[in-house]
Structures are given as structure tokens and as C-alpha cells.
Amino acid sequence: MRSFITILLAASMVPILVDAAAGQATPTGGGRSRLTADQALDLIRKGRWVDAVDAYAGVLEANPFRGTSWYYYGLAQHRAGDCGGALAAYERAIELGVNRGRSGMSAAMSGAARCAAALGDLDEAFRWLREASGRWEFSDWDTIERDPNFAQLIAEDRFRLLAGRLGPDEVDRDMGWRFDIDYLADLVVRRHPQPFHSVDEASWRDRVSELRAAVASLTDVEIFGRLKDLLAAIGDGHTSLYPPSEGPLALHQLPVWPYRFGQEWHILAAAPEHANLVGARIVEVNGAPATVVFEAMERGTPKDNEQTFAFVGAMFAQFTESYYLAVGSGSPTATEFALEFPDGQTRQVVLEGGPFMRNPNARWAPEGWPSMTDMTAPPLWLSRLDEMFWFTDLDEGVVYAQVNQIAHDDEERFEEFVARLDAHLRASGIRHLILDLRLNNGGNGYLNWELVRALVRNEAIDRDGGLYVLIGRRTFSAAVLLTGDLDRLTHARFVGEPPSSPPNFYGNDSGFTLPYSGLQGSITNGYHQRSTWEDLSPWTAPDLWTPLTVEDAFAGRDPALQAVLAQIRGQV
């Protein structure tokens, strides 16, 4: 993927986009300078703006179809003092697409805003800033506020809301929360590609208005819960309010790790002082039936399909506030559970929440905690939780590879791992690969093609019965993109549980921070399609469904791996 670089030149920050046309000669003829795109880009780097204007005019005469070239033409005109010409060039660049990415589009739109402001059209400048700060994530408001051409605009309420700049009134608690609500509602609309694909717009806006009106009568925790519900209503797993981990709004973390088996929730693991709770089934919470509580909790949890709650719900179920908000009673800092133990005994326990002491989204329960699965001798899929990716030989001719994140490791880049795996598969004459994605909640989906390409080229693996992919509730985001590619392009058989996203889904983490409260979250700004447009399935269904049961967990069994090995051995 092409990159976006920011270079300091002539006491100003100049966006330099790596252009694939660089180095290509421009045909001679006419009166224009006939430099290559690479030579023209060098003039940009040197700050020779007038020369760059002439050079890019020549580049565009030869090929007027590249958006990145139009961007540089606009940038050169902008810095040479011709904002009228620059604005037209920026607009053409945006129409054609700049560098096929967010950074290029953001640079062109913010440049268009600066030129419009310089020309005195503040409404047009605001329009470009609004678009740039939506899906394209422009956020360099300090630069805008230093530009004297924006002086009138930055004093207006519409700019303060766009940039998240609190006014003197917003230091008041109620006014501050209302500013956050307005800011978030506006950001959802301009950042999400289809914010009302799953919820009625009028009813959603009514909920926003109702929350604004109720601020004075709600506690901060209750406002957090309402904001979380508003984002969950948008209906995708990447549009979410995160559990605050510090400050006055920090949630209280329970000393237990709940996990859903089937439709029932159990205490998978607990802090050492609560080891006696491990394995117990949650029957009631704060006096309400567990089924009612978790159904209410699910309504306020972001999700792509009904499986997402098994994954994301386990994170929110670690906080006292989640139960308090779901039930509407009890204490926000302590939770009362009615538990049924494996021997049939039931008991009431009250657990106090404390400060954040662990990652609630970790791949498994915290190290050192007693667990339903004996972590002194864990099953293979839980044996190397700290590693990004690894592989090992199993039976003769069978390799097991676990990819826990689509990302580069500190010691090895993802493509280097793929090359090492590919070399091992070929050199050893391996006939079966078991690829485990059950703990993989995403990463950089652009890296997937390295692995997909290696598998497609390996005829010994990419055949019926040669490639098995283990999937589950934590298979999410970029890992679902990988699953979709493997489903479409290889002979893979899928084993385990359904993943937490469909093959076509709204995704991308696009972070935000609310100006008053400091609450953080994400609003997706992209859409991914890994299947045909008419495919409305909620997930890539496993060819062989092998859910982890309570009995499996206690016995340390891995039903998915066992099922795959049984199939492979049956082929011999």
C-alpha cells in the first residue's frame, strides 16, 4: 500500500505522497517542461513551488487521470500563491482519488479548505473541513486555528462543534455533557459511510435529543451507558464506546472473567482469592435472571452478528457498571451474583469492583489466575498466548499454524513469518495445514494477501482436505477479511464456531475522544466486501461446528483440533 509522508520544508509541513507514476518519463512536445513525475516530485520536496507548477502542468498534459498528480499540482499552486488554481486542482484530485487512501484525501480536502478560506469563502472552507474530518479523519485543528484566514470561522459555534473545541460554557457539567452528545452525534453522521443502515434515523436522533434533555437527572455512569447504547444502535462491531480505564469515569473491574458456553455464562477464571468461583454458572445478577441481564447487556454492545456478543460481551461483563446499567438497580461499584457450582450447590456472592488491573480484551484469562482450563498444561491453542504468530509440526505431513494478530511482531514482520511458513510447508513435503484464527481479533487487513497468495500457490495444501481453518467468536475484523479471502480463493474447510463478523461488513477502527468527558471510542469509516454483493449471510459458517463446552474446558480438550485431526487421519 502506498504511504503518506510528512516532510518539514521551508518552515512548513508539506504532505509528500509516494506516487506510482514517479520515474515515468513525460512525452516531449509543446511549451511545457517535460520532467518525469519523479523529477517534479523532487521540486516539491525542495520547495521550488513555481518550477513545480510548470513541471506538474507538463505531467498532467501527458496523463491527466492521476489524482495524486493533481494534488501536487494544487499544492504547488497553493504554495506559489495561486489559491484559485490550487482549489480547482485539489477538487479534481479529490474526484480522481488521492493516493488511494485516507491520508491523501485528507491532505487534498484540508488544502481545498485553506484555499477556500484564503479566497474568502468560509462556507466552502467549512464544507471541506467537515468532509475531511469525517471518513478521512483530518484532525490538525491547531494548524487551522493558526491560519488568519480562518479567524472569523473559528469563532463560530459550528466550527467549535466540528473541531471539538469547548467554549467557556462547556466547563459546566451539564453543558459539557451536552456538548459531548452533540459532538458525537455529528461525528457519527459525517464519519460512518452508512450510519443508518440498521437503525431508523429519526428514532435515533430522537434518542439523542432525549439524552440531551435528561443530562441533569442522570449520573455520569448513566450518561456513559446511554452514549454506549447510541453507538451500539448503529449496528456494527467497530462503532463503539470503550470502557474508560482511568480518571473519574473509570469503570470498576471485577475479579472474575465470565465466558459464554452456549447461551449460558460461567466464571471461566478468577483472581486467586476467588478461585472457588471458577466454573460456576451465573444464575442471577443483582436479583434479576441472568438471561434477562445478558440480553439487556447485549442491546448496548456493538456487534456485527449475534456471535459478536459472545466475544465483545465477555469484555463488558468484567465491569460492575455493565450489570448496574443492564439491570437498573444495585451498585455501580459492586455486583451480586447468584452462582450454581458444578456440584449443584448455589451461592450468593457480592464482588467489589476495583481499578483497571488487566486488559479486558486479552486473548484469554490473566496469567496466574485459576481457570477452568488448567493453564499449567494448556491445550495447544492456548499454549502460546503472547505470540503474534507461530507454527509447529503435528502428525507426519501436518503443520499447525496459529495467527493471533494480522500485524508485524517486534522481532519479525508478518510477511517474513509467511515466507518462513511457506518455505517449511514446501521443504518438508507437508500435505495438510491447520490454520488457527480463533484468537485473532484483527489488525492490518492489507497484510492478508501475503498469506493468501502463499497458500493459493501451494498446490499440495490448497486442495480438498489440505487446508483447515479454525475460526471462532474472537475471529474478527481483519481476521474475517482473511477468512473471506480463504473462503473465496482456496479449498479451505472451516472448523469451530462462527466468527463475529459477516464476510461483508462495516469496519475499521476510527478513534475519537469526546471533548468534555474524555471518553474514547471508535466510529467505523469503511466497508469491506469479501463475498458477492448479494451475500447477506451473518458469517462464514463452519463446515464442521465444534463448540467449546464446559466439559471440554475442564478436561483441557480442543474439540476443533480433535475433529480436524480425525478427518485428516481418516483420509490416509
Side-chain angles (χ1 to χ4, degrees):
M1 184 177 178
R2 300 182 179 97
S3 61
F4 179 80
I5 311 169
T6 304
I7 297 181
L8 184 63
L9 289 171
S12 61
M13 297 298 286
V14 180
I16 305 295
L17 308 174
V18 179
D19 190 348
Q24 298 176 9
T26 307
T28 58
R32 295 283 185 191
S33 169
R34 285 297 182 260
L35 300 180
T36 65
D38 198 27
Q39 291 168 327
L41 183 60
D42 190 53
L43 295 174
I44 293 285
R45 290 193 176 101
K46 293 177 179 177
R48 293 171 55 185
W49 307 116
V50 174
D51 292 337
V53 170
D54 184 61
Y56 270 103
V59 168
L60 288 166
E61 276 186 15
N63 181 358
F65 303 108
R66 298 186 60 81
T68 305
S69 297
W70 280 101
Y71 166 75
Y72 282 128
Y73 187 39
L75 176 63
Q77 291 179 98
H78 187 174
R79 295 305 175 89
D82 179 10
C83 257
L87 182 56
Y90 282 142
E91 289 175 341
R92 183 58 174 159
I94 293 163
E95 290 173 357
L96 296 177
V98 184
N99 211 36
R100 301 180 183 176
R102 282 196 302 270
S103 55
M105 294 294 282
S106 174
M109 289 177 181
S110 60
R114 292 185 180 97
C115 280
L119 294 170
D121 191 343
L122 292 182
D123 287 339
E124 182 72 355
F126 180 80
R127 182 179 73 82
W128 281 120
L129 289 176
R130 181 172 175 81
E131 187 164 354
S133 60
R135 292 188 67 188
W136 313 109
E137 300 183 51
F138 173 80
S139 60
D140 188 9
W141 302 112
D142 290 342
T143 297
I144 297 298
E145 290 169 334
R146 287 195 298 267
D147 188 333
N149 292 311
F150 287 99
Q152 180 180 336
L153 179 61
I154 63 177
E156 298 180 15
D157 289 344
R158 59 174 175 167
F159 177 82
R160 292 196 306 105
L161 184 64
L162 186 73
R165 298 313 205 214
L166 294 169
D169 291 339
E170 278 80 45
V171 297
D172 172 78
R173 184 259 186 191
D174 291 357
M175 292 292 290
W177 272 120
R178 291 189 183 107
F179 188 92
D180 275 2
I181 294 165
D182 292 341
Y183 175 82
L184 182 59
D186 183 63
L187 187 61
V188 166
V189 172
R190 57 191 163 93
R191 180 160 293 181
H192 199 294
Q194 290 290 338
F196 303 112
H197 64 93
S198 296
V199 64
D200 177 70
E201 179 176 0
S203 63
W204 190 83
R205 291 187 182 278
D206 285 344
R207 291 174 64 178
V208 172
S209 298
E210 291 166 3
L211 176 55
R212 285 188 93 262
V215 161
S217 63
L218 298 173
T219 66
D220 289 349
V221 169
E222 290 168 336
I223 296 173
F224 163 77
R226 295 277 193 94
L227 288 173
K228 182 170 67 70
D229 291 351
L230 279 173
L231 289 185
I234 298 300
D236 71 73
H238 287 78
T239 298
S240 171
L241 199 61
Y242 303 150
S245 60
E246 56 187 18
L249 294 176
L251 300 189
H252 294 76
Q253 205 167 31
L254 287 161
V256 293
W257 192 283
Y259 190 88
R260 194 175 83 178
F261 293 90
Q263 295 301 313
E264 296 182 334
W265 289 80
H266 289 247
I267 305 299
L268 173 71
E273 63 270 25
H274 297 288
N276 61 321
L277 304 182
V278 171
R281 180 173 69 90
I282 301 174
V283 179
E284 292 183 353
V285 185
N286 291 344
T291 53
V292 173
V293 174
F294 285 106
E295 284 173 3
M297 194 182 297
E298 183 173 6
R299 288 192 291 272
T301 301
K303 61 180 181 177
D304 287 325
N305 57 35
E306 63 188 60
Q307 183 76 336
T308 316
F309 184 60
F311 162 41
V312 181
M315 175 177 68
F316 283 99
Q318 295 174 52
F319 299 102
T320 58
E321 287 85 353
S322 296
Y323 300 101
Y324 169 75
L325 292 169
V327 177
S329 63
S331 166
T333 62
T335 303
E336 181 181 5
F337 292 99
L339 301 175
E340 181 183 70
F341 292 84
D343 62 2
Q345 298 292 316
T346 59
R347 184 154 58 92
Q348 303 285 133
V349 296
V350 176
L351 297 178
E352 298 285 339
F356 261 69
M357 299 297 291
R358 62 184 188 273
N359 177 9
N361 194 29
R363 294 181 183 125
W364 201 249
E367 184 177 358
W369 276 26
S371 168
M372 291 172 65
T373 298
D374 180 6
M375 298 307 289
T376 61
L380 186 63
W381 73 296
L382 299 177
S383 64
R384 297 165 73 168
L385 294 171
D386 293 335
E387 297 187 39
M388 201 86 78
F389 33 68
W390 58 279
F391 64 86
T392 188
D393 292 316
L394 294 183
D395 290 3
E396 182 178 352
V398 181
V399 166
Y400 172 91
Q402 187 175 63
V403 178
N404 291 329
Q405 203 78 33
I406 311 295
H408 301 305
D409 185 65
D410 291 339
E411 299 179 358
E412 185 176 35
R413 294 179 63 82
F414 188 75
E415 63 267 23
E416 294 171 343
F417 162 75
V418 171
R420 185 163 55 87
L421 173 63
D422 186 46
H424 181 74
L425 294 176
R426 293 178 181 278
S428 304
I430 301 297
R431 296 280 294 165
H432 301 277
L433 173 64
I434 304 170
L435 178 63
D436 196 341
L437 303 178
R438 286 176 293 178
L439 298 176
N440 192 325
N441 69 322
N444 183 354
Y446 293 110
L447 300 177
N448 284 337
W449 74 275
E450 297 277 1
L451 180 55
V452 174
R453 183 176 65 169
L455 295 177
V456 167
R457 289 178 171 181
N458 191 330
E459 295 181 359
I461 296 298
D462 186 20
R463 58 182 176 81
D464 189 32
L467 175 60
Y468 292 85
V469 181
L470 307 185
I471 54 176
R473 63 189 67 184
R474 196 178 167 85
T475 309
F476 185 67
S477 195
V480 170
L481 299 182
L482 176 57
T483 299
D485 288 339
L486 294 175
D487 189 27
R488 190 175 75 257
L489 301 173
T490 74
H491 293 81
R493 295 181 185 176
F494 295 93
V495 180
E497 296 180 308
S500 283
S501 293
N504 300 332
F505 66 96
Y506 292 97
N508 286 344
D509 283 326
S510 174
F512 66 83
T513 300
L514 297 185
Y516 170 73
S517 64
L519 291 172
Q520 295 182 327
S522 170
I523 299 170
T524 187
N525 62 349
Y527 180 75
H528 300 284
Q529 184 171 320
R530 283 302 188 269
S531 184
T532 58
W533 65 268
E534 67 265 45
D535 184 356
L536 301 180
S537 57
W539 44 54
T540 298
D543 298 292
L544 185 61
W545 180 47
T546 56
L548 184 72
T549 67
V550 170
E551 293 74 22
D552 291 326
F554 273 123
R557 289 192 299 263
D558 183 349
L561 183 58
Q562 288 180 347
V564 170
L565 291 175
Q567 285 204 1
I568 290 174
R569 291 161 183 163
Q571 296 172 21
V572 178

PDB file of all heavy atoms in Angstrom, residues 298-313:
ATOM      1  N   GLU A 298     -26.525  -7.108  25.976  1.00  0.00           N
ATOM      2  CA  GLU A 298     -26.255  -7.289  24.549  1.00  0.00           C
ATOM      3  C   GLU A 298     -26.816  -6.136  23.726  1.00  0.00           C
ATOM      4  O   GLU A 298     -26.221  -5.721  22.732  1.00  0.00           O
ATOM      5  CB  GLU A 298     -26.841  -8.617  24.065  1.00  0.00           C
ATOM      6  CG  GLU A 298     -26.544  -8.920  22.607  1.00  0.00           C
ATOM      7  CD  GLU A 298     -26.975 -10.302  22.189  1.00  0.00           C
ATOM      8  OE1 GLU A 298     -27.610 -11.012  22.998  1.00  0.00           O
ATOM      9  OE2 GLU A 298     -26.669 -10.701  21.047  1.00  0.00           O
ATOM     10  N   ARG A 299     -27.963  -5.602  24.132  1.00  0.00           N
ATOM     11  CA  ARG A 299     -28.562  -4.498  23.376  1.00  0.00           C
ATOM     12  C   ARG A 299     -27.675  -3.256  23.376  1.00  0.00           C
ATOM     13  O   ARG A 299     -27.757  -2.419  22.477  1.00  0.00           O
ATOM     14  CB  ARG A 299     -29.945  -4.159  23.941  1.00  0.00           C
ATOM     15  CG  ARG A 299     -31.008  -5.201  23.619  1.00  0.00           C
ATOM     16  CD  ARG A 299     -32.402  -4.689  23.931  1.00  0.00           C
ATOM     17  NE  ARG A 299     -32.641  -4.529  25.361  1.00  0.00           N
ATOM     18  CZ  ARG A 299     -33.089  -5.491  26.157  1.00  0.00           C
ATOM     19  NH1 ARG A 299     -33.352  -6.696  25.664  1.00  0.00           N
ATOM     20  NH2 ARG A 299     -33.290  -5.268  27.445  1.00  0.00           N
ATOM     21  N   GLY A 300     -26.821  -3.125  24.368  1.00  0.00           N
ATOM     22  CA  GLY A 300     -25.926  -1.976  24.438  1.00  0.00           C
ATOM     23  C   GLY A 300     -24.506  -2.295  24.035  1.00  0.00           C
ATOM     24  O   GLY A 300     -23.594  -1.503  24.317  1.00  0.00           O
ATOM     25  N   THR A 301     -24.306  -3.437  23.393  1.00  0.00           N
ATOM     26  CA  THR A 301     -22.964  -3.861  22.989  1.00  0.00           C
ATOM     27  C   THR A 301     -22.839  -3.815  21.477  1.00  0.00           C
ATOM     28  O   THR A 301     -23.726  -4.293  20.771  1.00  0.00           O
ATOM     29  CB  THR A 301     -22.682  -5.298  23.482  1.00  0.00           C
ATOM     30  OG1 THR A 301     -22.801  -5.331  24.912  1.00  0.00           O
ATOM     31  CG2 THR A 301     -21.284  -5.746  23.095  1.00  0.00           C
ATOM     32  N   PRO A 302     -21.783  -3.232  20.949  1.00  0.00           N
ATOM     33  CA  PRO A 302     -21.614  -3.183  19.489  1.00  0.00           C
ATOM     34  C   PRO A 302     -21.485  -4.587  18.918  1.00  0.00           C
ATOM     35  O   PRO A 302     -20.844  -5.463  19.517  1.00  0.00           O
ATOM     36  CB  PRO A 302     -20.317  -2.393  19.307  1.00  0.00           C
ATOM     37  CG  PRO A 302     -19.573  -2.596  20.583  1.00  0.00           C
ATOM     38  CD  PRO A 302     -20.620  -2.668  21.652  1.00  0.00           C
ATOM     39  N   LYS A 303     -22.088  -4.832  17.754  1.00  0.00           N
ATOM     40  CA  LYS A 303     -21.995  -6.168  17.179  1.00  0.00           C
ATOM     41  C   LYS A 303     -22.269  -6.146  15.690  1.00  0.00           C
ATOM     42  O   LYS A 303     -22.987  -5.276  15.174  1.00  0.00           O
ATOM     43  CB  LYS A 303     -22.969  -7.126  17.880  1.00  0.00           C
ATOM     44  CG  LYS A 303     -24.434  -6.765  17.782  1.00  0.00           C
ATOM     45  CD  LYS A 303     -25.294  -7.803  18.512  1.00  0.00           C
ATOM     46  CE  LYS A 303     -26.774  -7.462  18.402  1.00  0.00           C
ATOM     47  NZ  LYS A 303     -27.627  -8.496  19.056  1.00  0.00           N
ATOM     48  N   ASP A 304     -21.677  -7.113  15.001  1.00  0.00           N
ATOM     49  CA  ASP A 304     -21.912  -7.341  13.576  1.00  0.00           C
ATOM     50  C   ASP A 304     -22.915  -8.463  13.347  1.00  0.00           C
ATOM     51  O   ASP A 304     -23.577  -8.507  12.315  1.00  0.00           O
ATOM     52  CB  ASP A 304     -20.603  -7.705  12.865  1.00  0.00           C
ATOM     53  CG  ASP A 304     -19.685  -6.510  12.714  1.00  0.00           C
ATOM     54  OD1 ASP A 304     -20.187  -5.400  12.511  1.00  0.00           O
ATOM     55  OD2 ASP A 304     -18.455  -6.692  12.785  1.00  0.00           O
ATOM     56  N   ASN A 305     -22.966  -9.390  14.292  1.00  0.00           N
ATOM     57  CA  ASN A 305     -23.902 -10.504  14.207  1.00  0.00           C
ATOM     58  C   ASN A 305     -24.153 -11.012  15.623  1.00  0.00           C
ATOM     59  O   ASN A 305     -23.594 -10.469  16.594  1.00  0.00           O
ATOM     60  CB  ASN A 305     -23.383 -11.621  13.283  1.00  0.00           C
ATOM     61  CG  ASN A 305     -22.020 -12.146  13.710  1.00  0.00           C
ATOM     62  OD1 ASN A 305     -21.698 -12.224  14.890  1.00  0.00           O
ATOM     63  ND2 ASN A 305     -21.184 -12.531  12.736  1.00  0.00           N
ATOM     64  N   GLU A 306     -24.955 -12.028  15.760  1.00  0.00           N
ATOM     65  CA  GLU A 306     -25.313 -12.495  17.111  1.00  0.00           C
ATOM     66  C   GLU A 306     -24.150 -13.162  17.824  1.00  0.00           C
ATOM     67  O   GLU A 306     -24.185 -13.343  19.043  1.00  0.00           O
ATOM     68  CB  GLU A 306     -26.494 -13.460  17.036  1.00  0.00           C
ATOM     69  CG  GLU A 306     -26.231 -14.743  16.266  1.00  0.00           C
ATOM     70  CD  GLU A 306     -27.497 -15.560  16.075  1.00  0.00           C
ATOM     71  OE1 GLU A 306     -28.444 -15.045  15.457  1.00  0.00           O
ATOM     72  OE2 GLU A 306     -27.517 -16.705  16.554  1.00  0.00           O
ATOM     73  N   GLN A 307     -23.100 -13.499  17.094  1.00  0.00           N
ATOM     74  CA  GLN A 307     -21.920 -14.107  17.709  1.00  0.00           C
ATOM     75  C   GLN A 307     -21.021 -13.062  18.359  1.00  0.00           C
ATOM     76  O   GLN A 307     -20.265 -13.380  19.286  1.00  0.00           O
ATOM     77  CB  GLN A 307     -21.135 -14.890  16.647  1.00  0.00           C
ATOM     78  CG  GLN A 307     -19.913 -15.624  17.157  1.00  0.00           C
ATOM     79  CD  GLN A 307     -20.231 -16.901  17.907  1.00  0.00           C
ATOM     80  OE1 GLN A 307     -21.322 -17.069  18.434  1.00  0.00           O
ATOM     81  NE2 GLN A 307     -19.283 -17.813  17.948  1.00  0.00           N
ATOM     82  N   THR A 308     -21.103 -11.803  17.901  1.00  0.00           N
ATOM     83  CA  THR A 308     -20.198 -10.772  18.416  1.00  0.00           C
ATOM     84  C   THR A 308     -20.317 -10.620  19.926  1.00  0.00           C
ATOM     85  O   THR A 308     -19.329 -10.348  20.617  1.00  0.00           O
ATOM     86  CB  THR A 308     -20.470  -9.410  17.744  1.00  0.00           C
ATOM     87  OG1 THR A 308     -20.639  -9.575  16.342  1.00  0.00           O
ATOM     88  CG2 THR A 308     -19.324  -8.448  17.989  1.00  0.00           C
ATOM     89  N   PHE A 309     -21.515 -10.784  20.453  1.00  0.00           N
ATOM     90  CA  PHE A 309     -21.681 -10.590  21.892  1.00  0.00           C
ATOM     91  C   PHE A 309     -20.938 -11.639  22.701  1.00  0.00           C
ATOM     92  O   PHE A 309     -20.482 -11.355  23.814  1.00  0.00           O
ATOM     93  CB  PHE A 309     -23.167 -10.584  22.263  1.00  0.00           C
ATOM     94  CG  PHE A 309     -23.409 -10.289  23.720  1.00  0.00           C
ATOM     95  CD1 PHE A 309     -22.995  -9.093  24.283  1.00  0.00           C
ATOM     96  CD2 PHE A 309     -24.039 -11.212  24.531  1.00  0.00           C
ATOM     97  CE1 PHE A 309     -23.203  -8.825  25.624  1.00  0.00           C
ATOM     98  CE2 PHE A 309     -24.254 -10.949  25.877  1.00  0.00           C
ATOM     99  CZ  PHE A 309     -23.839  -9.752  26.432  1.00  0.00           C
ATOM    100  N   ALA A 310     -20.801 -12.845  22.153  1.00  0.00           N
ATOM    101  CA  ALA A 310     -20.013 -13.859  22.859  1.00  0.00           C
ATOM    102  C   ALA A 310     -18.568 -13.402  23.011  1.00  0.00           C
ATOM    103  O   ALA A 310     -17.884 -13.742  23.985  1.00  0.00           O
ATOM    104  CB  ALA A 310     -20.067 -15.189  22.102  1.00  0.00           C
ATOM    105  N   PHE A 311     -18.092 -12.612  22.045  1.00  0.00           N
ATOM    106  CA  PHE A 311     -16.725 -12.083  22.077  1.00  0.00           C
ATOM    107  C   PHE A 311     -16.656 -10.775  22.875  1.00  0.00           C
ATOM    108  O   PHE A 311     -16.015 -10.697  23.920  1.00  0.00           O
ATOM    109  CB  PHE A 311     -16.241 -11.901  20.632  1.00  0.00           C
ATOM    110  CG  PHE A 311     -15.055 -10.996  20.455  1.00  0.00           C
ATOM    111  CD1 PHE A 311     -13.978 -11.034  21.336  1.00  0.00           C
ATOM    112  CD2 PHE A 311     -15.009 -10.110  19.389  1.00  0.00           C
ATOM    113  CE1 PHE A 311     -12.887 -10.196  21.164  1.00  0.00           C
ATOM    114  CE2 PHE A 311     -13.919  -9.274  19.208  1.00  0.00           C
ATOM    115  CZ  PHE A 311     -12.864  -9.306  20.098  1.00  0.00           C
ATOM    116  N   VAL A 312     -17.337  -9.730  22.375  1.00  0.00           N
ATOM    117  CA  VAL A 312     -17.238  -8.410  22.996  1.00  0.00           C
ATOM    118  C   VAL A 312     -17.948  -8.385  24.353  1.00  0.00           C
ATOM    119  O   VAL A 312     -17.519  -7.693  25.277  1.00  0.00           O
ATOM    120  CB  VAL A 312     -17.816  -7.341  22.054  1.00  0.00           C
ATOM    121  CG1 VAL A 312     -17.700  -5.953  22.676  1.00  0.00           C
ATOM    122  CG2 VAL A 312     -17.098  -7.371  20.713  1.00  0.00           C
ATOM    123  N   GLY A 313     -19.025  -9.149  24.478  1.00  0.00           N
ATOM    124  CA  GLY A 313     -19.746  -9.179  25.747  1.00  0.00           C
ATOM    125  C   GLY A 313     -18.890  -9.646  26.904  1.00  0.00           C
ATOM    126  O   GLY A 313     -19.068  -9.208  28.042  1.00  0.00           O
TER     127      GLY A 313
END
